[in-house]
Amino acid sequence: MCGIVGILGQTPVAPQLIDALRRLEYRGYDSAGVATLEGGHLTRRRAEGKLSQLAARLDRLPLAGKAGIGHTRWATHGAPTEGNAHPHATERVAIVHNGIIENYRELRREVEAEGRLVESDTDTEIVAQLITRRLEDGLTPADAVRVTLPRLQGAFALAVIFEGYDDLMIAARRGSPLAIGRGDREVYLGSDAIALAPFTSSIIYLEDGDWAVLSRAEITIFDEAGNAVERPTVHGVGTSLLVDKGNHRHFMAKEIAEQPEVVGHTLAHYLDFAAARVNLPDDARIDFAALPRLSITACGTAYYAALTAKYWFERLARLPTDVDIASEFRYRDVPLTAGGAALVISQSGETADTLASLRYARQAGQTVGAVVNVHQSTIAREANFIMPTLAGPEIGVASTKAFTCQLAVLASLAVAAGRARGVLTEADEEKLVTALAEVPRLESVAMKLEAEIEALAADISGAGHVLYLGRGTSYPIALEGALKLKEISYIHAEGYAAGELKHGPIALVDADVPVVVIAPYDRIFEKTVSNMQEVAARGGRIILVTDEKGADAAGVTTAGTIVMPEMPATVTPLVYAVPVQLLAYHTAVFMGTDVDQPRNLAKSVTVE
Ligand code: G6P
């Protein structure tokens, strides 16, 4: 789950490598490194910590090579030290790697038995050693890589440069993504097209199992069986992916603020606002009318979008819906009836467990739809059809706008399912589409509560533990609120179904534990009020997120009440997500944490 780049250029490439790595820091940022070929000789610089450390080192000790590779790391094997940072090198090769070599222990024993000195604790260095051995046997670089690749088990992307070869880079992809960019007498390589955006908008995506021999003049791609293959060049991806923080202090703040716009775009893709009808793209091929059961799989925040969707599919379409965490689903041996349908939800489209769930479902004869934000991702390409979220690049590690866009897609789909199954009438559809059309505006209204929420965040930042409660679709929002808070502020937080409070977590309640209650005034509001009273009776500090009617009817003293605009119950998750995101964001800002790149996390999790 690291980011890799490579450039065969016309001028010294280290500055461009750093620039590209900056765009890949979302994939990991515990250490970084670059290697270039200077007059045919491999030279490298590595540094522990963020990319800025490496950049500072390169300022002091520049590299002059016009061919090079770079890496930003999220440690899997070995601590995030300089010695374990990539590129890993021998006298003959330097290599950067994203992913995991699962059989590395066995391979390490093998190379050590030959008397080779393994300097790091990483799986990557073993690959460098294996290739070196083949070069010493007299093989060409391409042949050395070709015979080494089948020995590696796991999911990975690799880039290799070779001592003595100024115009050669070899790339390989199995499981982890890899894009090649063509420039004017230059060639680029990156974990995604965002990394290459400033250099080129001509991109070739390698297919799973492909490996490629690159020179400035020629790109030769082979498939897993060793056949030379052509892969299409996609034009114009790059420039649309350029990203910056605008006027915001953090990407997360920018992405929260973008929600009215991007949720609006996403809804407009699935709804005909003028006719108040759902208008799914033609390739959304689920026959909801005949469907006995729907299964949805995802990880992290996307899983909470799935949990919300379960309420919608079951209520609006009377469609039994199973929701699973992808890492459980893939090993649970789930019986799936052939001819059924499944959805996977993923912002990045690269999450390893979600991808494995997709493959499992497809093997079991399911039609699989992917709700994805990255349209060229592996999940997007392996699904039977995609339902894109139009959130744009999400850089903050903690997901915000991708989540609400996922909800927008899923709500639209649930309404379509309700119509197809004869549960919703045309008038119901009209009402629901009208309600969804108002979401962007309602989110803007919610954004205006930021100053009040910031004041409450000051209070939360002093807490050791925080509970989040909700019922119905506010339950997944409570879970998401707790996840956001712990991810970026490092305060321990738990989300609970409000009715479950009395079965355990109430034991935690005292005056030091803020309890955030997500409770729009809906048909179960009164039930949630009872749970709030249980908290109040034990001296708990309640922060209530509700609307005007709810605030009037709550009848409990709160430490703070955030009064949201009124809205139809179905759309509350899309709007109530905003205050919980803002609460977590401002708490983290108070705590002084690294909001966009919280410790130990990564944006795209391509390991199990
Ligand atoms: C990581 C991210 C989360 C994200 C999850 C699933 O844990 O930090 O924000 O929700 O992965 O990612 P996906 O790209 O599949 O939505």
Side-chain angles (χ1 to χ4, degrees), residues 141 373 391 500 556 561 572:
N373 198 39
E500 189 68 7
V556 287
T561 302
T572 55

Side-chain angles (χ1 to χ4, degrees), residues 34-52:
V34 296
T36 69
L37 280 156
E38 297 189 17
H41 292 302
L42 288 168
T43 45
R44 64 178 165 157
R45 304 276 183 267
R46 298 180 292 168
E48 204 174 308
K50 294 246 171 104
L51 197 56
S52 50

Side-chain angles (χ1 to χ4, degrees), residues 506-560:
I506 200 163
L508 301 174
V509 172
D510 63 23
D512 296 327
V513 179
V515 181
V516 181
V517 182
I518 318 292
Y521 189 78
D522 56 14
R523 64 194 177 93
I524 40 174
F525 179 79
E526 288 305 328
K527 306 282 175 199
T528 312
V529 167
S530 309
N531 305 131
M532 274 196 297
Q533 272 152 356
E534 291 153 17
V535 172
R538 286 155 184 87
R541 275 197 334 237
I542 296 164
I543 293 174
L544 175 61
V545 189
T546 184
D547 46 30
E548 223 168 281
K549 281 191 190 145
D552 285 346
V556 287
T557 308
T558 66

Side-chain angles (χ1 to χ4, degrees), residues 109-461:
R109 275 196 298 273
E110 185 181 312
V111 300
E112 282 180 336
E114 289 175 4
R116 292 176 190 278
L117 179 67
V118 180
E119 290 173 351
S120 73
D121 309 317
T122 66
D123 47 351
T124 310
E125 190 188 344
I126 308 305
V127 186
Q129 298 278 4
L130 289 174
I131 296 172
T132 300
R133 177 167 74 183
R134 293 303 180 198
L135 292 168
E136 286 170 4
D137 290 346
L139 267 57
T140 62
D143 282 340
V145 173
R146 183 178 54 76
V147 297
T148 301
L149 287 175
R151 304 229 37 219
L152 310 178
Q153 284 165 19
F156 53 80
L158 299 169
V160 198
I161 52 175
F162 300 82
E163 175 84 12
Y165 292 83
D166 270 324
D167 191 22
L168 176 67
M169 178 161 58
I170 298 187
R173 133 158 223 197
R174 200 188 296 159
S176 306
L178 209 48
I180 298 172
R182 275 182 206 271
D184 178 18
R185 291 175 301 132
E186 299 195 328
V187 63
Y188 313 94
L189 187 74
S191 294
D192 67 25
I194 295 182
L196 310 182
F199 315 131
T200 180
S201 55
S202 243
I203 300 287
I204 300 169
Y205 291 96
L206 290 184
E207 298 280 321
D208 213 21
D210 283 356
W211 64 286
V213 179
L214 312 176
S215 71
R216 289 174 181 83
E218 206 176 349
I219 295 171
T220 314
I221 302 174
F222 301 93
D223 65 12
E224 205 159 8
N227 307 307
V229 285
E230 290 288 327
R231 301 291 180 213
T233 303
V234 186
H235 295 283
V237 234
T239 42
S240 62
L241 294 173
L242 287 167
V243 281
D244 62 53
K245 273 186 236 172
N247 292 328
H248 296 272
R249 190 165 158 197
H250 298 102
F251 278 110
M252 185 178 178
K254 174 178 170 252
E255 288 157 6
I256 291 172
E258 278 173 353
Q259 290 178 108
E261 194 194 343
V262 295
V263 168
H265 282 166
T266 304
L267 287 168
H269 194 70
Y270 297 96
L271 307 176
D272 179 341
F273 292 140
R277 293 277 162 263
V278 181
N279 189 13
L280 294 187
D282 291 343
D283 62 353
R285 287 182 299 258
I286 296 183
D287 180 6
F288 281 112
L291 198 65
R293 210 168 185 92
L294 177 68
S295 117
I296 317 182
T297 331
C299 298
T301 289
Y303 170 69
Y304 296 143
L307 265 189
T308 314
K310 175 181 169 75
Y311 287 86
W312 285 331
F313 279 113
E314 296 193 338
R315 196 177 160 90
L316 301 176
R318 313 301 300 151
L319 174 60
T321 303
D322 298 317
V323 175
D324 273 271
I325 292 171
S327 55
E328 289 299 312
F329 180 85
R330 63 183 294 188
Y331 294 117
R332 198 157 62 84
D333 208 5
V334 189
L336 297 168
T337 315
L343 292 177
V344 293
I345 308 172
S346 175
Q347 186 284 128
S348 62
E350 300 295 346
T351 302
D353 287 318
T354 311
L355 176 60
S357 300
L358 178 159
R359 289 175 177 162
Y360 179 95
R362 285 209 59 177
Q363 260 169 17
Q366 309 297 291
T367 299
V368 184
V371 178
V372 280
N373 198 39
V374 181
H375 307 178
Q376 312 284 351
S377 59
T378 312
I379 286 178
R381 281 184 283 132
E382 291 199 15
N384 293 97
F385 66 93
I386 71 166
M387 308 272 300
T389 49
L390 305 180
E394 190 181 64
I395 306 298
V397 166
S399 186
T400 52
K401 61 174 181 170
F403 175 64
T404 43
C405 286
Q406 287 159 355
L407 292 179
V409 174
L410 293 162
S412 306
L413 203 57
V415 177
R419 285 290 283 141
R421 293 168 73 80
V423 179
L424 297 177
T425 63
E426 216 174 283
D428 294 331
E429 179 183 6
E430 186 174 334
K431 245 164 76 189
L432 286 161
V433 172
T434 308
L436 284 166
E438 287 181 13
V439 164
R441 177 185 57 81
L442 293 164
E443 287 178 339
S444 300
V445 177
M447 285 298 305
K448 297 208 171 76
L449 302 170
E450 186 158 9
E452 285 167 54
I453 294 170
E454 191 177 354
L456 291 171
D459 183 34
I460 299 252
S461 65

Side-chain angles (χ1 to χ4, degrees), residues 49-106:
K50 294 246 171 104
L51 197 56
S52 50
Q53 305 290 328
L54 176 67
R57 180 158 301 179
L58 278 163
D59 281 345
R60 288 195 307 277
L61 297 166
L63 290 177
K66 295 177 186 169
I69 51 177
H71 188 267
T72 179
R73 181 165 188 246
W74 187 85
T76 59
H77 293 65
T81 58
E82 184 178 332
N84 285 330
H86 302 215
H88 287 282
T90 65
E91 285 178 356
R92 310 286 292 259
V93 299
I95 182 165
V96 287
H97 161 219
N98 164 35
I100 287 181
I101 310 295
E102 288 174 356
N103 58 334
Y104 98 103
R105 277 190 203 82
E106 166 196 330

Side-chain angles (χ1 to χ4, degrees), residues 558-570:
T558 66
T561 302
I562 299 167
V563 183
M564 299 282 284
E566 271 182 46
M567 65 198 82
T570 308

